[in-house]
Amino acid sequence: MSIEARLKELGVTLPDAPAPVANYVGFVQTGNLVHISGQISADENGPIKGKLGSDLSVEQGAAAARRCAISLLSQAKAACGGDLSRITRLVKLTGFVNSTADFTDQPKVINGASDFMVDVLGDKGRHARAAVSANSLPLGVAVEIDAIFEIA
């Protein structure tokens, strides 16, 4: 099944790739690798804000991470000239979770992105990963994730 067909089956429409908000670009391609800048948790209503361990549950954090993954795929689509079939592999995700000092479920939060990528990309979506805590993230968002994709 194509990536586009799988997204449709899941009821997901990729938005346009979010524009950078500072002095950086959304992605950089070097060779067959595309490095995608960190994508913050946001939806059609704006940034998804909060701190895991005080304001948000693990489930809410995982949903925020899923939104990051949708933005990552939007950036990957832009990097591929609109052709998601060029993605040959998701290589790595690095997830940052806005959390309290005693919160230890960062991996469960970032699973929201990892699970989505495997749901959409199948085995091409299995990736290396880091899930770390942050005392604060831009705009007070709950999650930020960057990625490396291999493309043809």
Side-chain angles (χ1 to χ4, degrees), residues 3 29 79-81 83-89 150-152:
I3 295 170
Q29 182 176 347
C80 292
D83 183 4
L84 286 171
S85 71
R86 291 182 56 203
I87 294 174
T88 58
R89 179 90 198 216
E150 180 183 52
I151 64 172

Side-chain angles (χ1 to χ4, degrees), residues 95 97 99-100 103-111 129 131-134:
V97 179
S99 55
T100 59
F103 184 80
T104 58
D105 283 332
Q106 292 83 2
K108 291 179 182 176
V109 170
I110 302 304
N111 278 347
R129 188 180 89 177
V132 298
S133 181

